[in-house]
Amino acid sequence: ELLSEDIVQLCLRRPQHFHWSPGQTAYLIMPSVSTLPFEAHPFTIASFDSSLLSTAKLEDQSESSENYETQVLASGAPFWKELVFLVNVHGGFTKKLKEVAAMKGQVKVFVDGPYGPSVLTTRLYLWQVSCLGGSGISYTLPVFLSVIGHGKSSCKWVVFIWSIRGADYVQWIEEALVKAVQLAPPSLTVSIHIFDTGSPSMSQSMEEDSSLSSPTEKKGTPKQVVTRKGSLTLSMLLSLRVVKMEKGRSDPDALLKEEINMASGSMSVSVCGSQGIACAVCHALRFPVSGPSSILSGGPSVTLYVESFGYT
């Protein structure tokens, strides 16, 4: 499915034997799309393996665990039941995949994986802060869904700081995000900060086209304006008191210092995005913000997780 001009959502029915953990990646092979028949391209799995709930349920037979599984699996949200990938469109393979998605075509996909370390250990931290850029939500959303799904999580506070280039980016994961916030246990505090760095004209056009789809042309090249009829509206997400959306760039220094000043105990800070975002977060956490002196004075013990991506 073509979510926007630069993002393709790829949904695959989960094979019965295939299991993964949040933060892991898989290599996708699409002979009908790639130049060579056995090209393998790595992408982060953006969905949560809901089959893990069965294991958790055996360990914890609480009524809340049963209610969670019933509500989530009945919702039909692909971010819980399927393999979902958010593919950032550039040249070569991803450009060809976009062309297939624009025609609403289907392709045969071979999945190799999963690979990479799991970030399930972040559930052991009392505070979780995530700094994301664009499709970096693929890395953090499954972690958030796993915190909601496992009743034995030690996490008490989850903070999202997501920088996007347009309001339509929120539609990628809006339904899953709203559902997760609604299912969050009372013991878990959720705070979501969304920063729209796109131009005002771009955001205005998104709002005007939110209910209809029509082709436009620029320099002779057809472009498709993509909308998702039947999905939850953006206003529903923004109506949640835990969600704040602002225009302009985020300030990692100020935001992270604010969270560290309020936190105590253990804290994980995860960053997924461009090298610029990763460097900004590392700079914000430099000594003495999260050093020994901060811990001795009652501050949190901060662990940094960096998932930076690039393009070839």
Side-chain angles (χ1 to χ4, degrees):
E1 181 182 0
L2 189 59
L3 300 184
S4 67
E5 283 299 318
D6 56 357
I7 290 292
V8 173
Q9 177 178 278
L10 186 63
C11 294
L12 309 176
R13 182 173 298 176
R14 182 182 68 84
Q16 187 174 2
H17 66 279
F18 192 92
H19 301 282
W20 70 96
S21 297
Q24 291 191 305
T25 62
Y27 282 86
L28 304 183
I29 303 172
M30 304 180 205
S32 62
V33 178
S34 58
T35 303
L36 300 176
F38 297 107
E39 283 183 6
H41 301 266
F43 297 100
T44 302
I45 303 174
S47 52
F48 171 57
D49 187 358
S50 61
S51 65
L52 296 177
L53 293 175
S54 300
T55 304
K57 187 177 176 182
L58 292 175
E59 298 176 355
D60 182 8
Q61 295 289 342
S62 64
E63 182 180 353
S64 60
S65 177
E66 295 179 3
N67 290 340
Y68 172 85
E69 183 176 3
T70 300
Q71 293 182 64
V72 167
L73 298 183
S75 69
F79 285 94
W80 273 284
K81 299 182 64 176
E82 302 173 359
L83 274 169
V84 179
F85 301 89
L86 298 177
V87 180
N88 214 330
V89 177
H90 287 270
F93 170 78
T94 56
K95 184 178 180 181
K96 294 178 181 178
L97 185 62
K98 174 187 174 181
E99 294 172 354
V100 175
M103 296 184 293
K104 301 186 181 299
Q106 294 185 352
V107 295
K108 180 176 290 187
V109 182
F110 298 93
V111 182
D112 180 19
Y115 292 101
S118 168
V119 292
L120 278 177
T121 53
T122 57
R123 292 191 287 110
L124 303 177
Y125 294 90
L126 294 177
W127 291 64
Q128 286 189 20
V129 180
S130 301
C131 299
L132 319 167
S135 59
I137 193 70
S138 300
Y139 176 74
T140 305
L141 181 62
V143 179
F144 179 41
L145 300 183
S146 71
V147 171
I148 300 296
H150 290 79
K152 291 187 176 181
S153 173
S154 301
C155 187
K156 302 299 181 185
W157 199 290
V158 175
V159 179
F160 269 63
I161 303 172
W162 190 19
S163 298
I164 57 178
R165 295 180 180 176
D168 67 326
Y169 279 42
V170 179
Q171 297 179 11
W172 304 347
I173 48 89
E174 181 181 9
E175 186 173 355
L177 201 58
V178 171
K179 191 70 174 179
V181 171
Q182 292 173 343
L183 294 176
S187 60
L188 179 65
T189 301
V190 179
S191 180
I192 301 175
H193 302 273
I194 302 176
F195 293 88
D196 182 1
T197 62
S199 63
S201 59
M202 179 186 297
S203 299
Q204 183 178 359
S205 64
M206 308 279 181
E207 297 175 358
E208 293 175 351
D209 294 332
S210 60
S211 61
L212 64 111
S213 176
S214 62
T216 60
E217 293 187 2
K218 182 178 180 181
K219 296 183 179 179
T221 303
K223 295 176 67 176
Q224 184 175 5
V225 179
V226 181
T227 58
R228 305 183 67 192
K229 294 184 179 180
S231 66
L232 298 177
T233 62
L234 183 61
S235 60
M236 180 175 292
L237 179 65
L238 297 181
S239 67
L240 299 175
R241 60 181 180 83
V242 301
V243 179
K244 295 181 180 179
M245 188 168 184
E246 303 177 23
K247 292 291 297 182
R249 294 181 178 275
S250 63
D251 185 353
D253 274 335
L255 292 169
L256 290 175
K257 286 179 182 178
E258 179 182 354
E259 299 299 332
I260 290 175
N261 289 336
M262 292 191 301
S264 60
S266 58
M267 171 187 279
S268 71
V269 177
S270 302
V271 54
C272 184
S274 63
Q275 293 184 356
I277 293 178
C279 290
V281 172
C282 292
H283 185 268
L285 295 177
R286 69 193 186 283
F287 180 86
V289 174
S290 58
S293 60
S294 174
I295 299 176
L296 292 174
S297 61
S301 173
V302 181
T303 303
L304 176 63
Y305 294 86
V306 179
E307 178 79 2
S308 187
F309 53 76
Y311 308 101
T312 56

